[in-house]
């Protein structure tokens, strides 16, 4: 069974629309993250949360807003979508506050047309 | 900013050959992790290896953190090893990824 569930796996959106990417982890981790992988670029860090609080944000645009309704959820709301937002978005988690390994979800592949 | 360099960028092997993948980081960080990215895109953790040598089946990871380098050795490669191998360094709260080594193992 997947330990980090990301939904949907694939998403096609129209420019200017808004979408929410879902992430749930069942590992008992207190730290959750979002990463993005655009075509031909390395995975890049977007956000980190610990105990449902924002710890670090390296996303320049306010169009990207994480939402943590429960301690094992970290959704990503993206507004006013642009074609450049097309990428695979990965959710990850780990035991925060210590050196521990990261577990990644299988990603949501977003295409903005 | 931090930079993670992986080499080679791509590698083609015949089944049964060994591979050595390298990862270097430009500034000091505290730990690192190797991932395998399947052709479909999902990430599988291979090693969390902040220092020293770790083994898992045909894979061996060696990290010398003071020298800011890590290597991944694949022995007796198989066609199912084909995919992209990513290394990532951590500063406690952020993973910085390299561009990956794309491995193709031919039968």
């Amino acid at each position: 069974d997947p330990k980090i569930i990301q939904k949907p796996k694939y998403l096609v959106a129209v420019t200017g629309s808004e979408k929410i990417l879902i992430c749930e982890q069942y590992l008992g981790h207190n730290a959750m993250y979002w990463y993005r992988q655009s075509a031909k670029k390395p995975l890049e860090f977007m956000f980190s949360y610990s105990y449902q609080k924002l710890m670090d944000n390296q996303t320049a645009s306010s169009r990207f807003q994480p939402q943590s309704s429960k301690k094992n959820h970290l959704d990503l709301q993206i507004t006013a979508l642009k074609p450049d937002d097309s990428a695979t978005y990965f959710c990850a988690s780990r035991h925060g506050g210590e050196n521990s390994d990261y577990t990644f979800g299988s990603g949501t592949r977003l295409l903005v047309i | 900013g931090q930079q993670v360099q992986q080499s080679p960028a791509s590698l083609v092997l015949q089944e049964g050959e060994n591979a050595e993948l390298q990862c270097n980081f430009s500034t000091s960080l505290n730990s690192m992790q190797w991932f395998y990215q399947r052709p479909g895109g999902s990430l599988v953790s291979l090693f969390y290896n902040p220092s020293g040598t770790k083994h898992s089946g045909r894979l061996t990871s060696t990290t010398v953190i003071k020298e800011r380098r890590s290597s991944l050795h694949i022995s007796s490669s198989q066609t199912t090893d084909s995919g992209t191998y990513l290394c990532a360094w951590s500063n406690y709260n952020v993973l910085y990824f390299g561009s990956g080594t794309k491995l193709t193992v031919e039968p």
Side-chain angles (χ1 to χ4, degrees):
Chain A
D1 287 336
K3 300 200 168 82
I4 299 183
I5 296 173
Q6 287 192 244
K7 293 185 284 193
K9 284 177 99 68
Y10 302 99
L11 186 55
V12 179
V14 175
T15 296
S17 66
E18 171 183 316
K19 293 294 179 188
I20 295 181
L21 281 52
I22 305 294
C23 177
E24 307 169 13
Q25 55 92 4
Y26 295 94
L27 294 160
H29 291 162
N30 57 281
M32 296 185 71
Y33 305 81
W34 278 100
Y35 284 78
R36 171 172 53 197
Q37 188 174 36
S38 304
K40 315 230 174 185
K41 285 185 172 181
L43 271 122
E44 57 179 347
F45 170 79
M46 298 180 73
F47 298 97
S48 65
Y49 268 64
S50 179
Y51 295 103
Q52 295 184 267
K53 292 193 186 311
L54 178 67
M55 301 301 291
D56 202 347
N57 174 1
Q58 292 188 12
T59 303
S61 173
S62 61
R63 297 185 298 106
F64 294 83
Q65 290 293 328
Q67 299 171 344
S68 182
S69 59
K70 298 180 189 177
K71 66 177 183 179
N72 68 325
H73 282 230
L74 185 65
D75 300 335
L76 182 64
Q77 180 186 41
I78 314 174
T79 58
L81 278 159
K82 302 178 180 180
D84 276 354
D85 297 332
S86 298
T88 301
Y89 291 82
F90 289 97
C91 176
S93 71
R94 69 180 187 124
H95 288 297
E98 59 188 82
N99 289 339
S100 58
D101 61 327
Y102 291 72
T103 301
F104 278 74
S106 55
T108 291
R109 190 172 291 183
L110 172 66
L111 175 63
V112 183
I113 56 174
Chain B
Q2 289 88 353
Q3 288 189 346
V4 183
Q5 284 131 2
Q6 288 192 246
S7 61
S10 63
L11 185 59
V12 180
L13 299 175
Q14 295 296 313
E15 201 166 23
E17 291 182 324
N18 299 334
E20 186 90 6
L21 281 54
Q22 302 292 339
C23 179
N24 294 276
F25 199 83
S26 58
T27 63
S28 294
L29 293 179
N30 71 309
S31 68
M32 72 83 57
Q33 196 165 348
W34 282 96
F35 295 89
Y36 168 68
Q37 187 164 32
R38 294 192 176 107
S42 60
L43 288 165
V44 177
S45 178
L46 297 175
F47 291 102
Y48 171 75
N49 188 11
S51 67
T53 298
K54 292 193 173 182
H55 303 276
S56 177
R58 295 180 294 104
L59 304 180
T60 301
S61 168
T62 300
T63 297
V64 184
I65 204 154
K66 288 185 180 179
E67 296 179 12
R68 302 172 194 164
R69 61 178 175 85
S70 183
S71 63
L72 179 68
H73 183 83
I74 305 173
S75 63
S76 304
S77 62
Q78 300 175 359
T79 56
T80 50
D81 294 333
S82 296
T84 300
Y85 291 80
L86 301 172
C87 73
W89 290 87
S90 168
N91 72 345
Y92 297 105
N93 200 41
V94 177
L95 274 179
Y96 297 96
F97 281 86
S99 299
T101 293
K102 185 174 180 182
L103 176 65
T104 304
V105 182
E106 296 176 341

